[in-house]
Amino acid sequence: MEDSHLNLQFLETDRIGIYFGNNSGGWNISERGFEELYKFGPTFVNPWQATAWFPAAAQGYISIANSIHGTSKSYVADKATGGVAMFSAINSIKRGDNDIVICGGTEAPLTLLSGICHYEAGELLDKNDEKEGILPFCSKSDGTILGEGSSVLILEEYEHALDRNAPIYAEIKNISTNFGDDSLELNMENCLVQSKLEYKDIDLLLPEANGIVKNDNVENQAISNLNLKYNHQPNLKFPKKYYGHLYGAQASTDVIAAILYLKNADKNSIKTRALINNRSKEGINVSIAIEKID
């Protein structure tokens, strides 16, 4: 909020919303509660446990701490959690529910019980040498790595940002979503059509590329089909290779990463537009088209 010059004293806080993704909740306090219950009985369990592990805890905390009263939502949708939150955040502005949305996500899944649950789901990278990180589009390595962290964007209409002299890093041209492995390619195309962009206009592509071979094969095929169809190959980048998968915080982190990639691109080649994919194992597809603003 400080970086975006968002001074709540001069804004209607009932027109500011909070849209957050959180997939794994407050596992740490939950695990402590289980231990307290087992060893000492129910009267020793922290009374805040029920709200601390609830996925809406992060959104609620931000709202209470800053006295923000606009339309707000929390989302849980596996690896598409952050993308679904951002999709809904932008639609809340388009509908006129909010003028500004604090949008992003947060995850802290690196606890004993949470780690076991993720491991039993069969999607974690099962190897001793984790230094290589997630290896996207690589059939020799199957599995993702959990990351911890949070990232937040301030979203608003362009004119509204100009009126309050806010620094503008990029424009989200469009976010589209659909369901099904065979619909990813269509969703990417629909996102661009609704953005009034063509595939050849995309300089940078950040795929989901979570290292799970089955999921990567679906996405790799969709990208290959578009490359062939439009005779264009955007530059591919895989930022989550370096910090793991952030689930609820992944989409907002990818947007930030894409902006930084575009900003620091070779000065001899102008790069301004990026397409980002965020998708769940169940096939919830979210595609985000952004354009850098200097």
Side-chain angles (χ1 to χ4, degrees), residues 216-284:
D216 282 0
N217 286 344
V218 170
E219 187 172 29
N220 194 14
Q221 186 61 57
I223 294 172
S224 297
N225 290 346
L226 292 176
N227 289 349
L228 183 62
K229 181 177 180 179
Y230 296 104
N231 192 28
H232 174 66
Q233 293 187 9
N235 189 11
L236 292 179
K237 293 292 184 182
F238 307 97
K240 65 171 65 69
K241 169 182 170 59
Y242 303 103
Y243 45 71
H245 203 298
L246 298 177
Y247 285 75
Q250 190 59 59
S252 49
T253 303
D254 280 343
V255 169
I256 294 169
I259 293 170
L260 290 173
Y261 278 128
L262 294 172
K263 179 181 177 181
N264 296 305
D266 185 354
K267 302 300 181 183
N268 296 324
S269 57
I270 300 175
K271 297 184 182 300
T272 60
R273 301 181 186 92
L275 184 64
I276 299 162
N277 284 338
N278 188 213
R279 66 190 311 266
S280 73
K281 63 181 178 181
E282 294 86 2
I284 301 173

Side-chain angles (χ1 to χ4, degrees), residues 23-65:
N23 196 70
S24 296
W27 281 87
N28 190 36
I29 193 172
S30 181
E31 290 174 34
R32 294 203 306 268
F34 292 147
E35 184 177 10
E36 291 160 351
L37 176 64
Y38 179 76
K39 289 183 176 180
F40 310 112
T43 58
F44 284 84
V45 177
N46 188 324
W48 297 110
Q49 175 170 330
T51 52
W53 68 260
F54 195 60
Q59 170 215 307
Y61 178 81
I62 297 169
S63 175
I64 294 169

